[in-house]
Amino acid sequence: MEQWYIFYNLQPTEVNIVGDSIDLEMRIYEGQQARINHVKINGNDRIYENVVRRELRTKPGDLFSKEALQRSTRELASMGHFDPENCSPEVHPRYEDGTVDIDWNLKQKNNDQIEFSLGWGQTGVIGRVGLKFTNFSVTNLFRRNKEHRGLLPIGDGETLSLGAQTNGRYYQSYNAQYSTNWLGGKRPIQFTFGLNYSKQTDVSTNYYNSGYLNNYYNYRYGYGNYNYNNYENFSDPNKYIKLLGVYLGWGKRLSWPDDYFTLSVQLAYQRYMLKNWRYFIMTSGSANNLNLNVSINRSSTDNQLFPRRGSEFSASLAITPPWSKFDNKDYRNLANDVNSPTYSQEQQEKYRWVEYHKWKFKARTFTALSSGQKCFVLMTRVELGLLGSYNKYKKSPFETYYMGGDGMSGYSTGYAEETIGLRGYENGSLTPRGQEGYAYDRFTLELRYPFLLGNTTIYGLGFIEAGNAWSETKKFNPFDMKRSAGIGVRIFLPMVGMMGIDWAYGFDKVLGTNGWEKGGSQLHFILGQEF
């Protein structure tokens, strides 16, 4: 059937009988090679049919191939618009003319997501709202006669994400992203465009001197009367950090070594604007980060939500121009004396243009340990990262690794770092205290089992994990690892996305606020699904 012969005649023939043994010869008479006649798509009424058909490897006129049928099943399951457990093709041979008809019976699902969350921080309530539309259509946005239902232009399978997070005057963050996997609708060309902006102000000394904290504890524990003060009055507008970013991405599906590979390129620019900000390497001024990221990716998993087979690999390199090579500045003697009266100005000059080269490698494999939909699946993960510099006297404090915990960065630490999770330890505890992380590794062995599959997916997991982070690349040692183990559960809800909770125990000691101590028992809440 891989060679297009769906029509054949098989005749088992007895060729030798000796005692109680029989030799059989399987004689196969090939028929004509079968071509595909009609391809029908059933169960889709939300996304344009050409968007579905362009993912198929089974097209009318093509020679029939079982491999193409299996690959088409994977592509439809990976789109996210259909239940991956119900992408079932039906093949109908037509012996009279040597062709086959294929019916794709799909079960549609809505994978748009909405996020609304509230939390309590030192300065009051933190709120977040997020919207993700996965069937967006830019064409319908400008078309007079819109061929869609509802207020939002839909139909082309494009993605539009909007998000906002705020704490009133103290903290604000906004982001927007548009992406498509078929730019122009003719070829599998990926395109991404995004914007983000955030502003964080420092807490005023009035916050501590006003009695606000005492009033809060009196209210919380029932002592005295609670005198509410608006926390926004404690924001100091003369102490802040602002971040403005824009990025443009392009990607292409490759045909070699196989067509599971993609090449992606992203050009990004971030501008950091600081004023009297005491928590970073520079207190005032601005820094610019212009970088180009090139990555090679390969994904052959059979399911987005609960993969049973296949693998994911990614190798990337992010580089900035080597500004120190041609700006003629003496970085060896620039901003080295903290007691110098011009130290602050020298810091601004030193990091006006950030430079680095950042290398990353990620790999995951999935192996089903039994047959059937509900089976144990073994997931393995290997991850490495290095952050290097062109000039040792201009070592980048940006894009460093903040490792440990749930892997979810808070709004107070994520503006110049990449957060890497390692369960069983507190957030950021594996990064050397008071320093930046310039190298890391992580290794995971995870056993999964599904309790519910479909539009709502629930599975449990048990894992062992190890990794570490280092303040210098030359100190990188893959055998010096912090270890942990634990259990958890993941729940995918169509309008919410992936959520989860893990309990983990860290076996090794890390330097914390109370000195060297074990990671111990840790509870982690997970939002989203990481690579």
Side-chain angles (χ1 to χ4, degrees):
M1 295 179 70
E2 296 296 343
Q3 299 297 323
W4 319 300
Y5 293 99
I6 193 173
F7 304 112
Y8 62 90
N9 183 14
L10 173 62
Q11 295 182 0
T13 304
E14 300 172 2
V15 295
N16 190 25
I17 301 176
V18 179
D20 59 355
S21 299
I22 301 176
D23 292 343
L24 293 177
E25 188 175 274
M26 313 303 288
R27 297 176 181 177
I28 300 177
Y29 300 90
E30 295 176 350
Q32 58 181 321
Q33 292 179 338
R35 290 191 177 272
I36 299 173
N37 185 34
H38 294 296
V39 177
K40 295 181 181 180
I41 298 174
N42 304 316
N44 169 50
D45 59 5
R46 189 170 181 269
I47 188 171
Y48 290 142
E49 186 160 309
N50 69 295
V51 176
V52 181
R53 287 187 177 274
R54 69 191 182 190
E55 299 290 346
L56 298 179
R57 306 298 178 93
T58 55
K59 298 182 179 180
D62 291 348
L63 289 168
F64 175 84
S65 169
K66 185 178 180 180
E67 181 182 0
L69 199 69
Q70 294 172 338
R71 181 64 184 273
S72 298
T73 302
R74 176 196 177 274
E75 298 300 326
L76 291 177
S78 299
M79 290 181 68
H81 299 286
F82 306 104
D83 183 358
E85 305 300 329
N86 289 279
C87 291
S88 55
E90 291 184 0
V91 179
H92 304 286
R94 295 165 52 93
Y95 295 96
E96 63 274 14
D97 58 5
T99 63
V100 296
D101 292 338
I102 300 176
D103 292 346
W104 289 95
N105 300 312
L106 307 177
K107 185 178 180 181
Q108 190 170 277
K109 70 172 186 176
N110 189 340
N111 59 341
D112 294 339
Q113 296 177 11
I114 181 170
E115 176 187 354
F116 178 74
S117 61
L118 292 174
W120 180 265
Q122 183 185 20
T123 53
V125 176
I126 305 167
R128 174 172 174 78
V129 175
L131 296 172
K132 183 179 180 182
F133 306 104
T134 58
N135 191 23
F136 187 70
S137 174
V138 170
T139 302
N140 282 338
L141 186 64
F142 301 101
R143 182 180 295 168
R144 292 184 179 180
N145 298 322
K146 297 181 179 180
E147 299 176 3
H148 65 87
R149 299 176 181 177
L151 299 176
L152 188 72
I154 63 173
D156 283 327
E158 301 161 354
T159 301
L160 177 65
S161 301
L162 304 171
Q165 186 174 356
T166 184
N167 188 294
R169 296 178 184 175
Y170 180 74
Y171 174 73
Q172 301 175 52
S173 175
Y174 309 95
N175 62 81
Q177 177 180 290
Y178 163 81
S179 64
T180 176
N181 290 328
W182 289 76
L183 182 62
K186 301 298 183 182
R187 295 183 179 181
I189 302 296
Q190 301 171 358
F191 175 79
T192 304
F193 176 73
L195 296 166
N196 58 74
Y197 170 80
S198 65
K199 179 181 178 180
Q200 183 176 341
T201 60
D202 201 0
V203 177
S204 167
T205 53
N206 295 332
Y207 176 80
Y208 301 99
N209 298 332
S210 65
Y212 173 81
L213 293 179
N214 292 332
N215 289 332
Y216 169 73
Y217 286 118
N218 287 338
Y219 166 75
R220 179 70 182 271
Y221 298 105
Y223 303 111
N225 297 320
Y226 176 64
N227 180 22
Y228 179 78
N229 291 287
N230 188 348
Y231 66 84
E232 292 186 357
N233 293 332
F234 301 126
S235 172
D236 191 339
N238 295 314
K239 299 178 181 179
Y240 62 78
I241 177 172
K242 297 179 182 179
L243 170 61
L244 176 64
V246 58
Y247 53 92
L248 189 68
W250 173 92
K252 177 179 174 57
R253 184 183 297 171
L254 304 179
S255 58
W256 185 88
D258 59 43
D259 60 1
Y260 288 111
F261 279 86
T262 58
L263 170 67
S264 301
V265 180
Q266 178 176 281
L267 181 65
Y269 171 75
Q270 296 93 30
R271 180 173 175 84
Y272 299 85
M273 296 158 281
L274 303 92
K275 183 178 180 180
N276 301 320
W277 191 255
R278 52 182 173 164
Y279 308 104
F280 198 49
I281 195 167
M282 54 188 294
T283 56
S284 297
S286 61
N288 302 277
N289 182 356
L290 177 65
N291 64 85
L292 180 69
N293 186 295
V294 181
S295 63
I296 296 290
N297 309 284
R298 186 182 188 276
S299 177
S300 61
T301 56
D302 60 346
N303 191 314
Q304 283 186 322
L305 300 179
F306 188 76
R308 301 176 185 84
R309 297 170 182 82
S311 60
E312 297 175 343
F313 295 92
S314 175
S316 65
L317 169 63
I319 57 174
T320 66
W323 305 108
S324 61
K325 300 297 183 182
F326 45 79
D327 60 9
N328 297 320
K329 294 179 182 179
D330 183 12
Y331 288 100
R332 182 174 185 177
N333 298 308
L334 188 64
N336 286 333
D337 184 5
V338 295
N339 297 317
S340 171
T342 61
Y343 177 75
S344 179
Q345 291 79 7
E346 291 179 10
Q347 286 284 74
Q348 297 178 44
E349 191 64 27
K350 186 174 184 178
Y351 297 110
R352 186 176 302 277
W353 286 97
V354 181
E355 63 174 33
Y356 58 83
H357 49 90
K358 189 174 186 178
W359 307 74
K360 290 195 69 176
F361 173 78
K362 296 180 180 182
R364 290 198 305 175
T365 66
F366 301 90
T367 305
L369 302 183
S370 60
S371 60
Q373 288 187 327
K374 288 193 173 183
C375 61
F376 283 98
V377 176
L378 182 66
M379 188 276 286
T380 63
R381 175 168 54 198
V382 176
E383 196 171 327
L384 308 169
L386 298 172
L387 179 64
S389 59
Y390 304 108
N391 187 327
K392 64 180 180 180
Y393 301 109
K394 195 184 179 182
K395 195 175 180 181
S396 173
F398 297 82
E399 298 297 325
T400 53
Y401 302 114
Y402 182 78
M403 188 172 187
D406 53 28
M408 299 170 59
S409 61
Y411 65 82
S412 61
T413 60
Y415 54 81
E417 301 167 320
E418 180 179 351
T419 304
I420 310 295
L422 198 143
R423 294 163 288 188
Y425 299 89
E426 294 184 357
N427 287 0
S429 61
L430 271 68
T431 301
R433 188 178 180 187
Q435 302 181 61
E436 304 290 344
Y438 288 88
Y440 85 95
D441 64 7
R442 179 169 63 161
F443 305 90
T444 305
L445 194 65
E446 193 170 280
L447 186 64
R448 302 175 173 180
Y449 184 80
F451 303 122
L452 181 64
L453 295 172
N455 287 340
T456 299
T457 298
I458 303 175
Y459 64 88
L461 55 91
F463 63 88
I464 55 176
E465 202 161 50
N468 207 351
W470 295 269
S471 59
E472 298 182 32
T473 55
K474 64 181 180 181
K475 293 182 178 180
F476 176 79
N477 181 2
F479 300 103
D480 178 19
M481 295 186 292
K482 309 299 182 184
R483 302 159 299 169
S484 66
I487 57 176
V489 65
R490 295 290 183 273
I491 303 175
F492 178 85
L493 300 175
M495 290 296 292
V496 179
M498 185 68 75
M499 303 181 298
I501 183 171
D502 291 333
W503 173 85
Y505 188 88
F507 298 103
D508 295 296
K509 292 183 177 181
V510 294
L511 183 60
T513 55
N514 299 320
W516 289 92
E517 54 187 0
K518 284 186 178 182
S521 178
Q522 300 285 338
L523 198 63
H524 304 292
F525 294 94
I526 311 298
L527 290 175
Q529 188 172 24
E530 65 172 333
F531 187 112

